[in-house]
Amino acid sequence: MTTEAGDHSIVTRGLTKRFRGGQVAVDDLHLSVPRGSVFGFLGPNGSGKTTTIRMLLGLVAPTQGGWDLLGTPMPGGVSAVLPRVGALVEGPAFYPYLSGEANLRRYDAADPAADPRTASRRIGLALDRVGLTAAAGKRYRAYSLGMRQRLAIAAALLGPRELLVLDEPTNGLDPQGTREVRALVKEIAADGTTVFVSSHLLAEVEQMCTHVGVMRTGRLVAEGPIAGLLGGEAVRVRVETPDTAEAAAVLSGLGLAGVRTGAGEAAAELGEQAPERVTAALVAAGVAVRGLAVQRPSLEDVFVGLTGEGFDVDG
Amino acid sequence: MSTVDVTGVTAEAGPAPVPDAAPGLREDTPASRRPGAARAWLRLLGSEAGLTFRRPRNLAVLAVLGIIPVLIGVVMRLFAEPIAAEAADGPGNGGAIFAQITGNGLFLTFAALSVLVQLMLPVAVAVVAGDAVAGEAGGGTLRYLLTAPAGRTRLLAAKYGNAVLFCLAAVSVIALSALVTGLALFPIGPITLLSGTTISFAEGLLRIGLVVLYVTAGMAALAAFALALSTLTEVAIGAIAATVVTVIVIQVLGVIPQLAWLQPYLLTQWWNEFDGVLRDPVAAGEMGQGLLVFAAYVVIFGSIAWARFTGKDITS
């Protein structure tokens, strides 16, 4: 476990949460988040992501199991470790009658490791990073949903962080804001900070993450580098043609596996075959090719394969 | 352990109910072992106080507390004779204090405190102490304070320290308002005490200071109760209302003769027992007992608040 603790920002060992009433929110979770990774924590709403995050941060006590943050066993290490962890948990929460800046000062004052002499500078930097400098003096009550979300991210960036835990960071953001958050996460990760980001938006995770873990009804159903997960799914070639039978025969003739035909199309796993050779073979056989596409597997395909359902069914 | 923090704070702000509480118990708060931990805690306390004393609702409460002594003073000035005569006939020392107001302005302070300590002051304290944890939980800010990480024991101690500061502020506002009103409307000079002896005006001020500290200690005990309730809910108004209702119920129990055996244990019975300072020498017996009762309430409800808050799942 010591070696694991060294290279991993988060390690959980059989983390389980059973709420009063018997409902099991998280069931025997073994999670390993490598240091320096951008880890996408996926799952439909209600699959136990937020409960897991609350347990990691010491807000909710697990029924069973243990966990390490930044190599330190928890929950004993909460006061030593959490100053190096920035967190956004289940949406922003601030004092409505205080300005954005005063709100950040309030949370900074709660951190015993924060130096009050540098507070103004750090708060200014954090506000600048999320583009809220102009609204720093405005009351939180008057903030838009997107500004509130940004302020919450700013609160997570108040100090130098080794780990950033972001629960649904793009909730409530417009497409522009979403892009900015993605860019910010990449920038933070480039500095060597591990980012643990939960989301129910597959495309978002696919674009920013190096690793993923997939939750389903409280259990982890897949975990690993995103390339590895996607590698498990075959790249397919799809041919649009009226001559589906001939096309299928050519694809089989090339030694491609998983040949299927549908209305006006034929498809197969590309395997080691080059797409241009497939095209040449089809044309040579006189198949009327209207279109040809190479389909790389998306995270959604992987997810559907793992859980048998699409992502947004629950939310 | 929270009770240690808690009484430590009381010792700064008012009379110390448990001066011999063991400081060694603090050690399982890791933050308190680091150098600068005390300063960091004071920063958190300052942040708490900043929130409390900038919040419009709390300022309104303090303003109301400040206006009432003025009203009492004006009414006494306008209708002094009949009220004083009536009050002097009435039972208890409150009446005796009231009867003295027109003779000496300083008595308005004692009179105002003995009136407001019955309900207005407890309501004010309940508003702040009942809101302390429940308000943060309801607003969702508690989870961010704890991931900062504020530390549960440390945050609770700051919450209680802040509540005690508010108690002191509320009592002081009443005392100062009454003092200024008394000086403006009534004669000033040496004071003839309830025991018949006369003390100087300066010593009178000193004795007002003692009463302020005593009443603050009584309110600090109520604050511990309200804080314990505050850890049980995410609805601040629930904790506030429950505190006020409890105060009223206890006061009703306090006037039922058949429950005389119970009354020494009731918190509200001791809030008004400060007329010992109006005797010469100061009759400290009653007040000493009162302080012991306050200390017991702080220890008991501080422990309940701590046990509850440190073991609680924060799901808000």
Side-chain angles (χ1 to χ4, degrees):
Chain A
M1 208 48 70
T2 43
T3 51
E4 253 197 5
D7 341 322
H8 289 85
S9 295
I10 303 174
V11 175
T12 72
R13 296 176 292 273
L15 215 54
T16 300
K17 182 63 185 182
R18 192 175 297 112
F19 281 112
R20 258 181 292 175
Q23 179 216 348
V24 180
V26 176
D27 191 5
D28 193 31
L29 183 69
H30 292 267
L31 201 63
S32 304
V33 177
R35 245 178 227 270
S37 63
V38 179
F39 191 99
F41 194 43
L42 286 165
N45 292 332
S47 58
K49 298 190 305 278
T50 295
T51 303
T52 302
I53 286 175
R54 282 180 183 270
M55 280 195 283
L56 291 178
L57 297 171
L59 292 173
V60 165
T63 318
Q64 264 167 30
W67 78 106
D68 296 347
L69 276 194
L70 301 176
T72 309
M74 303 287 276
V78 160
S79 63
V81 171
L82 288 190
R84 292 179 280 146
V85 178
L88 166 62
V89 190
E90 227 178 332
F94 291 97
Y95 303 87
Y97 48 91
L98 294 185
S99 70
E101 189 185 358
N103 267 299
L104 294 188
R105 198 171 291 277
R106 161 73 172 156
Y107 287 144
D108 193 63
D111 177 1
D115 185 351
R117 287 166 301 182
T118 60
S120 297
R121 193 176 54 80
R122 287 181 289 110
I123 289 167
L125 282 175
L127 285 168
D128 184 49
R129 226 166 165 185
V130 297
L132 275 182
T133 306
K138 216 163 133 179
R139 276 177 189 231
Y140 178 72
R141 197 193 302 281
Y143 276 26
S144 70
L145 200 58
M147 290 162 82
R148 291 173 180 204
Q149 192 76 11
R150 284 156 196 251
L151 190 64
I153 295 173
L157 296 174
L158 276 177
R161 310 294 196 195
E162 290 173 40
L163 170 65
L164 213 53
V165 177
L166 301 174
D167 188 7
E168 305 274 2
T170 57
N171 255 7
L173 294 182
D174 54 17
Q176 172 66 14
T178 307
R179 264 195 302 279
E180 283 169 17
V181 166
R182 271 205 303 267
L184 191 61
V185 165
K186 281 182 177 159
E187 193 186 310
I188 292 162
D191 298 342
T193 302
T194 310
V195 183
F196 183 82
V197 53
S198 89
S199 182
H200 65 280
L201 301 174
L202 282 161
E204 182 177 301
V205 167
E206 206 167 359
Q207 288 178 57
M208 22 180 212
C209 297
T210 57
H211 292 67
V212 285
V214 180
M215 290 285 282
R216 173 146 178 77
T217 56
R219 297 186 141 266
L220 191 68
V221 291
E223 187 198 25
I226 201 162
L229 273 184
L230 294 179
E233 292 281 311
V235 178
R236 295 182 68 85
V237 62
R238 189 172 134 263
V239 186
E240 270 181 56
T241 173
D243 315 324
T244 50
E246 289 88 338
V250 172
L251 293 175
S252 301
L254 285 167
L256 299 187
V259 177
R260 282 203 299 261
T261 55
E265 65 168 56
E269 289 177 17
L270 190 54
E272 297 300 308
Q273 205 55 266
E276 57 271 25
R277 286 206 48 205
V278 176
T279 318
L282 286 167
V283 172
V287 175
V289 177
R290 289 177 175 163
L292 185 137
V294 176
Q295 295 179 316
R296 307 209 168 269
S298 70
L299 204 51
E300 182 149 11
D301 299 328
V302 176
F303 184 79
V304 171
L306 285 169
T307 65
E309 69 171 86
F311 230 98
D312 280 320
V313 279
D314 301 346
Chain B
M1 168 193 17
S2 72
T3 54
V4 174
D5 291 336
V6 142
T7 48
V9 168
T10 314
E12 287 161 26
V18 197
D20 58 345
L25 289 177
R26 277 171 176 269
E27 72 189 8
D28 73 320
T29 319
S32 67
R33 284 199 297 256
R34 282 200 298 273
R39 195 177 300 170
W41 184 80
L42 286 176
R43 186 179 175 216
L44 178 57
L45 179 63
S47 171
E48 289 290 333
L51 281 183
T52 300
F53 290 101
R54 272 183 302 182
R55 193 161 177 183
R57 180 183 77 184
N58 297 339
L59 294 179
V61 166
L62 288 177
V64 170
L65 290 179
I67 289 168
I68 291 176
V70 179
L71 293 180
I72 296 175
V74 169
V75 169
M76 290 300 286
R77 172 79 196 195
L78 294 178
F79 312 105
E81 298 312 318
I83 292 178
E86 209 174 290
D89 294 340
N93 290 308
I97 293 172
F98 261 85
Q100 302 273 357
I101 293 177
T102 47
N104 194 304
L106 281 189
F107 275 94
L108 181 60
T109 309
F110 300 104
L113 280 172
S114 70
V115 168
L116 289 173
V117 83
Q118 304 296 336
L119 191 61
M120 287 294 291
L121 198 49
V123 167
V125 171
V127 164
V128 168
D131 182 68
V133 174
E136 304 274 9
T141 46
L142 185 57
R143 64 176 182 266
Y144 285 109
L145 289 175
L146 291 181
T147 54
R152 297 198 184 197
T153 303
R154 188 172 163 269
L155 179 63
L156 194 68
K159 288 284 181 193
Y160 186 67
N162 177 57
V164 173
L165 283 181
F166 183 80
C167 293
L168 181 63
V171 177
S172 302
V173 162
I174 296 170
L176 284 175
S177 163
L179 193 59
V180 171
T181 308
L183 296 185
L185 298 181
F186 303 105
I188 334 161
I191 309 159
T192 305
L193 297 173
L194 298 177
S195 54
T197 35
T198 301
I199 59 169
S200 69
F201 180 74
E203 181 158 5
L205 288 180
L206 193 70
R207 295 197 177 198
I208 285 178
L210 287 180
V211 172
V212 165
L213 292 180
Y214 179 83
V215 175
T216 299
M219 290 302 114
L222 178 69
F225 175 75
L227 187 64
L229 288 183
S230 190
T231 61
L232 300 177
T233 174
E234 288 166 16
V235 187
I237 195 72
I240 295 169
T243 305
V244 172
V245 167
T246 306
V247 166
I248 293 171
V249 168
I250 292 178
Q251 276 171 344
V252 169
L253 296 181
V255 296
I256 299 175
Q258 286 79 0
L259 293 178
W261 54 272
L262 180 66
Q263 286 158 7
Y265 304 100
L266 300 178
L267 183 59
T268 57
Q269 295 297 102
W270 296 97
W271 283 342
N272 226 343
E273 295 297 332
F274 54 76
D275 55 277
V277 301
L278 295 180
R279 300 183 190 279
D280 201 50
V282 171
E286 293 268 278
M287 293 174 74
Q289 277 197 350
L291 290 178
L292 282 179
V293 170
F294 299 156
Y297 272 80
V298 171
V299 168
I300 292 169
F301 289 101
S303 304
I304 291 173
W306 177 78
R308 169 70 187 163
F309 187 56
T310 51
K312 187 184 186 183
D313 277 352
I314 309 298
T315 51
S316 59

